[in-house]
Amino acid sequence: MTDVSRAARLTQVSADLPDDYMTVQLLAAGLARIQTDQLGAMWSTPSLSTQSVGLPVAWNAGVKRLWWRALESGMAQPITHMEVFAWCTRPLGQWPLALDITESDRGLLLVDDGRPSAFADEAARLAMSKDPEAELVENRSFDLLMTTADRNANCEEQVQKNYVELRGFLIDKPIASDLDLASLIRRFPAKNTHGQPWVKEWFLHGYQHRPASGPTVLDVCDECGNPLPSRRGRCGTPGCRGSATQWTVEAMSELYVQRQAVRRFFHDPGLAERRVLDATGSALGQRMHPWWGMDAVDVAYDFDGTDHMGTGEWWAADVKDHASATLLGRYFRWDPRADARRRFLVIAQHRFETRGYVDDLRDAMDGRVRGVEVVGEDNFIAAVLRHASERD
């Protein structure tokens, strides 16, 4: 097959086939389906047969795109599913078939320690609009959180307060107990048609049960609070520099640990959000609005105290902690409800300091997102505090 006929065939298969990021997202969505089908059990290479029968649609689509890329590059032998799975355990920059990706993404893995990596979770979630199976990755916890906030309120202001409290719970409580659950039920008593409190359904969807009795000593990270396998365990939370310590958790009979999807979607990226809120809250007081507009933005500041976005001087910010700058830039959208004078995309400090990350992010956003300033977490906090002092 000539180079010309190859190119023509590639175009017939998919107009965006040269887009290797879409290929990676399809593979990630397929990995999410495989993990879900195996009910969260640890899985290994034999889980993927060499045949495409029974494998997820998204995975098959991603592998087929790699087949055509291999053909285009002159590889003689077809790629097997087993080979692609093995590639997923290596950094993207080390795949035998060179991918057209940015330098800041070359060190990312799709599979880490036998499970889809945090990057794979992000990639699959961002592919939702194009991949019919990606809803498996997007966690229903968000819908249940919104429902719980709404059912336990009698006005819009109370819905917002409930949302902030529940969202904060997920950040502050990677490990909870039946005592925490009982407290939540007292605080949010509204029940569904089956007579179960909405907040209990939300809680059990986000946390896994662990047997316990009385005070229980757990090995955790002293910075992010995530559980560790032992006191010598390594904290794998992105950007976390904490070390192992021990917590004593009080429980009557049950402990609960956040499910991986909830931890990666809410808790881990929420750590950067929490740092911003904690650092600026004392200076702004009631003029700081966490997760304004039911999470239209992560934080908004009403410097003039007008209580209405769009009047007076408002700043608003989305705080992001994404592994891939390019995918973040491609899919980032500013919520039009947040009509602030200054709009910020705040990058978690450990990402902001990664070589090439900000440049790749800005390149991906160029021409699509206007009027949004890209800043690092530390610089944003300093700017808010400085402006608050100037206004007082």
Side-chain angles (χ1 to χ4, degrees):
M1 184 181 289
T2 65
D3 291 341
V4 173
S5 59
R6 276 179 186 154
R9 176 59 179 151
L10 289 169
T11 302
Q12 292 171 11
V13 173
S14 173
D16 67 342
L17 188 58
D19 183 357
D20 288 336
Y21 277 100
M22 179 52 63
T23 301
V24 169
Q25 288 179 276
L26 289 168
L27 295 175
L31 291 171
R33 162 68 85 170
I34 292 168
Q35 185 183 39
T36 300
D37 287 348
Q38 297 190 0
L39 301 177
M42 291 297 289
W43 47 287
S44 56
T45 302
S47 299
L48 287 176
S49 69
T50 56
Q51 304 298 318
S52 63
V53 177
L55 290 174
V57 173
W59 174 267
N60 287 329
V63 172
K64 286 177 182 178
R65 290 167 68 94
L66 288 176
W67 287 346
W68 287 107
R69 284 278 281 106
L71 178 65
E72 184 184 36
S73 65
M75 292 179 66
Q77 297 296 323
I79 304 168
T80 68
H81 289 270
M82 299 284 278
E83 287 176 318
V84 176
F85 181 83
W87 294 3
C88 290
T89 64
R90 307 183 205 172
L92 296 179
Q94 296 179 16
W95 284 24
L97 180 63
L99 299 175
D100 184 14
I101 57 174
T102 57
E103 187 65 29
S104 64
D105 287 343
R106 291 178 59 81
L108 299 176
L109 308 171
L110 282 175
V111 173
D112 188 12
D113 195 24
R115 293 179 180 272
S117 66
F119 163 63
D121 278 356
E122 293 173 4
R125 189 180 306 120
L126 292 172
M128 284 181 64
S129 61
K130 293 188 178 182
D131 172 30
E133 295 191 54
E135 70 273 7
L136 294 168
V137 178
E138 182 66 283
N139 201 276
R140 188 165 177 261
S141 183
F142 185 79
D143 291 335
L144 289 171
L145 189 158
M146 299 281 279
T147 301
T148 301
D150 180 68
R151 296 295 190 274
N152 286 276
N154 53 21
C155 64
E156 186 174 345
E157 183 180 0
Q158 186 60 51
V159 174
Q160 176 68 26
K161 289 180 178 179
N162 291 345
Y163 180 89
V164 169
E165 185 173 343
L166 293 167
R167 184 67 179 262
F169 185 93
L170 293 176
I171 299 173
D172 298 336
K173 293 281 189 177
I175 301 171
S177 74
D178 48 11
L179 297 174
D180 293 309
L181 176 56
S183 178
L184 284 172
I185 292 174
R186 289 193 298 270
R187 171 69 181 83
F188 301 99
K191 296 180 180 180
N192 60 23
T193 55
H194 302 290
Q196 176 171 274
W198 283 105
V199 73
K200 183 178 181 181
E201 184 178 356
W202 166 75
F203 181 90
L204 294 179
H205 191 85
Y207 289 82
Q208 291 176 306
H209 164 260
R210 300 280 179 86
S213 180
T216 303
V217 179
L218 301 172
D219 295 307
V220 302
C221 173
D222 63 0
E223 182 172 311
C224 69
N226 281 332
L228 300 178
S230 69
R231 275 176 284 180
R232 294 194 180 98
R234 178 181 64 87
C235 182
T237 304
C240 181
R241 300 175 182 176
S243 56
T245 188
Q246 290 189 319
W247 280 1
T248 299
V249 180
E250 294 286 344
M252 291 186 292
S253 60
E254 294 177 319
L255 284 179
Y256 297 91
V257 178
Q258 277 181 353
R259 299 182 189 275
Q260 178 177 275
V262 173
R263 177 175 61 80
R264 287 180 172 176
F265 186 61
F266 287 102
H267 174 269
D268 292 355
L271 295 170
E273 299 166 13
R274 176 63 80 194
R275 289 193 296 269
V276 170
L277 296 175
D278 289 347
T280 58
S282 59
L284 273 298
Q286 296 300 313
R287 292 177 294 164
M288 183 186 79
H289 300 271
W291 299 295
W292 180 88
M294 298 283 281
D295 208 30
V297 288
D298 292 318
V299 62
Y301 302 96
D302 178 12
F303 288 103
D304 291 334
T306 62
D307 292 326
H308 179 69
M309 181 80 80
T311 63
E313 183 166 9
W314 282 73
W315 291 10
D318 258 351
V319 183
K320 299 297 185 184
D321 184 1
H322 279 244
S324 171
T326 300
L327 288 180
L328 172 58
R330 285 185 177 195
Y331 287 91
F332 178 77
R333 299 289 185 275
W334 185 264
D335 194 311
R337 291 177 296 166
D339 184 22
R341 179 173 297 181
R342 294 185 68 179
R343 307 170 182 184
F344 297 87
L345 174 54
V346 179
I347 307 302
Q349 197 62 28
H350 66 281
R351 306 290 188 196
F352 190 78
E353 294 172 355
T354 299
R355 182 177 179 181
Y357 190 97
V358 175
D359 289 340
D360 291 339
L361 173 61
R362 286 176 172 149
D363 286 345
M365 293 173 61
D366 187 35
R368 296 188 315 97
V369 180
R370 301 183 184 278
V372 177
E373 305 172 51
V374 177
V375 298
E377 176 187 334
D378 291 350
N379 289 340
F380 177 72
I381 290 171
V384 171
L385 294 178
R386 182 170 56 250
H387 196 65
S389 66
E390 292 170 352
R391 303 285 292 187
D392 290 339

